[in-house]
Amino acid sequence: MQIEQLSAWTDGSDQPFIIAGPCSAETEEQLFKTAKELKENGINVIRAGVWKPRTRPGTFEGIGEDALKWIQKIKKELDVKFAIEVANAQHVELALKYGIDILWIGARSTVNPFTVQEIADALKGHDVPVLVKNPLNPDLALWIGAMERLNQAGITKLGAIHRGFSTSKKTKFRNLPQWQMALELKRKYPEMPMICDPSHIAGKRDMIQELSQKAMDLVFDGLIIESHIDPENAWSDAAQQVTPTHLKEILEALVLRHTKSDNPEFQTHLAELREKIDELDREIFETLADRMKIVDEIGEYKKDNKVTVFQINRYKEMMKARGEWAEELHLNDEFMENVFSLIHDAAIRRQTLIMNETEEKA
């Protein structure tokens, strides 16, 4: 993909790129007051929900075009930029008509290639930045595919918004961060601006500081945070919005780290530690290779004795034991489960190949 650097379509600052504003544009007064306070606190790009994709009908779904008229007036009066979500071609046309500066595609839209293509077609010939939120579920190919469709339509001012992933599990997050998904996208496309949405990951305002700092530590390029003049009485997402004053406190408390240090002592010590990591990684790979030899041997034995590859009771025993080992070694339970599940899945694939008399190795 051909992607412009973030500095090419922002103010060029080396500080994190910040977008903030209410979940929804509710009234002209609410939007103006929020934008004014944000501007006074150093925020120059305001977000506002004009159309709100809601899970169920009968809830507040946005003001629509009238909100765009408010935005047009506020932009001139306060000298700020605005970012809004678009979900179809009509939204795009109206957003461009009213001079919206940045568009974003929401998680519900990203999951549908037809919707993304419709938006991409409507954007052809226009030079406007577009940010793409991750899809509802952790599907990296779907996320990348949405950006590729926009890029093929001529959009080069592209960026990604990491807002976390839906889950049926009860966790402290509204949406699971699964940071590795955003980092994998960044590894594939280092030039891709990566914006974190701590508001939607958290679902509650008291976690926004922690998540914003985590994003900065992972070298995200910026943040998009919901801010409302009166969060408690917001018409949508009240629990996760912060006042402009609170937002300023959050941003001022961020510790911005460097990607490298010129300190010779640091460089030397870091090189030594990395060498130890490399040695341990080599040992891990050698151990895994030995394990797979035994897996193959077991596969042959199962085949000769007409025994199924997957043994549910054995799997449960293994998971229980490995969980206990992880606890003894002070390893995170989720980390252990993810790692061992990958190893076990690889073992199942190898034994399945053996059952089918395939010599190919996984």
Side-chain angles (χ1 to χ4, degrees):
M1 285 190 282
Q2 257 190 325
I3 302 169
E4 293 185 38
Q5 294 289 329
L6 182 63
S7 58
W9 48 273
T10 60
D11 59 8
S13 170
D14 59 359
Q15 295 297 301
F17 179 54
I18 308 297
I19 302 173
C23 172
S24 304
E26 301 163 357
T27 67
E28 186 172 359
E29 180 184 20
Q30 165 254 1
L31 187 58
F32 177 80
K33 284 185 175 180
T34 304
K36 185 173 185 294
E37 278 206 28
L38 287 169
K39 170 74 173 182
E40 289 169 353
N41 288 319
I43 305 299
N44 294 306
V45 183
I46 313 299
R47 59 146 290 153
V50 172
W51 300 278
K52 299 299 300 177
R54 310 305 290 173
T55 302
R56 301 180 66 179
T59 54
F60 177 63
E61 296 186 325
I63 299 297
E65 187 173 359
D66 283 344
L68 292 173
K69 296 174 183 176
W70 307 338
I71 288 172
Q72 192 175 53
K73 288 166 61 178
I74 293 168
K75 274 170 53 72
K76 291 178 181 178
E77 189 165 346
L78 297 180
D79 188 26
V80 292
K81 294 182 178 180
F82 265 83
I84 71 165
E85 178 178 350
V86 293
N88 56 44
Q90 183 186 23
H91 291 174
V92 172
E93 290 164 9
L94 286 170
L96 295 173
K97 173 184 174 182
Y98 287 96
I100 299 300
D101 303 282
I102 299 172
L103 309 180
W104 82 76
I105 297 176
R108 287 180 173 88
S109 299
T110 305
V111 300
N112 189 337
F114 292 108
T115 298
V116 176
Q117 189 61 57
E118 178 186 341
I119 293 170
D121 290 343
L123 284 167
K124 284 181 180 177
H126 296 281
D127 186 31
V128 59
V130 181
L131 305 174
V132 182
K133 286 197 173 186
N134 60 256
L136 294 170
N137 298 314
D139 188 332
L140 185 59
L142 203 54
W143 199 1
I144 293 173
M147 286 180 277
E148 288 176 334
R149 290 177 185 276
L150 292 160
N151 199 231
Q152 288 175 4
I155 300 298
T156 57
K157 295 173 181 175
L158 264 178
I161 297 178
H162 174 225
R163 49 82 77 189
F165 302 90
S166 296
T167 176
S168 58
K169 296 179 182 178
K170 187 174 181 179
T171 75
K172 66 177 183 177
F173 303 106
R174 176 179 176 180
N175 295 297
L176 287 177
Q178 296 195 232
W179 299 101
Q180 70 276 14
M181 190 69 64
L183 295 178
E184 181 60 23
L185 177 62
K186 193 69 171 176
R187 277 192 286 267
K188 288 179 178 290
Y189 301 98
E191 70 282 11
M192 177 76 69
M194 181 66 69
I195 312 297
C196 181
D197 180 351
S199 302
H200 281 88
I201 293 175
K204 42 190 175 289
R205 63 182 63 87
D206 60 1
M207 291 178 62
I208 291 176
Q209 174 73 63
E210 169 195 344
L211 290 166
S212 297
Q213 184 62 61
K214 175 79 171 181
M216 294 299 97
D217 292 345
L218 293 174
V219 203
F220 275 62
D221 299 286
L223 302 165
I224 179 168
I225 298 177
E226 290 189 342
S227 179
H228 191 290
I229 196 73
D230 182 14
E232 297 292 344
N233 293 301
W235 295 3
S236 57
D237 285 351
Q240 68 191 41
Q241 300 195 65
V242 297
T243 65
T245 301
H246 188 184
L247 176 64
K248 183 181 180 183
E249 293 169 356
I250 289 171
L251 298 178
E252 287 180 344
L254 290 177
V255 178
L256 303 180
R257 309 181 198 281
H258 305 289
T259 55
K260 60 182 179 179
S261 171
D262 295 328
N263 183 337
E265 185 178 343
F266 169 83
Q267 294 290 358
T268 300
H269 188 51
L270 184 64
E272 292 171 353
L273 292 173
R274 283 175 170 170
E275 186 175 348
K276 290 179 181 179
I277 288 286
D278 290 343
E279 292 171 1
L280 289 169
D281 284 350
R282 176 72 187 185
E283 290 178 19
I284 290 171
F285 274 81
E286 290 172 353
T287 301
L288 285 172
D290 290 340
R291 188 186 194 282
M292 289 306 173
K293 289 176 185 176
I294 298 172
V295 163
D296 290 349
E297 189 175 339
I298 292 174
E300 294 286 357
Y301 195 62
K302 286 178 178 176
K303 177 183 174 184
D304 293 343
N305 289 272
K306 295 184 172 57
V307 174
T308 59
V309 168
F310 184 57
Q311 302 282 315
I312 184 63
N313 290 333
R314 167 62 176 162
Y315 178 72
K316 288 179 179 178
E317 290 171 5
M318 293 170 75
M319 290 300 288
K320 182 175 183 294
R322 276 109 187 110
E324 292 170 354
W325 299 345
E327 187 176 352
E328 290 171 9
L329 296 167
H330 306 293
L331 292 172
N332 178 273
D333 287 348
E334 185 180 359
F335 168 73
M336 178 284 300
E337 186 175 342
N338 289 338
V339 170
F340 187 70
S341 292
L342 286 172
I343 294 172
H344 186 262
D345 289 348
I348 292 293
R349 286 196 298 273
R350 290 175 76 101
Q351 291 188 359
T352 301
L353 288 172
I354 289 170
M355 289 289 184
N356 294 327
E357 298 181 341
T358 302
E359 296 299 326
E360 179 185 350
K361 300 298 181 183

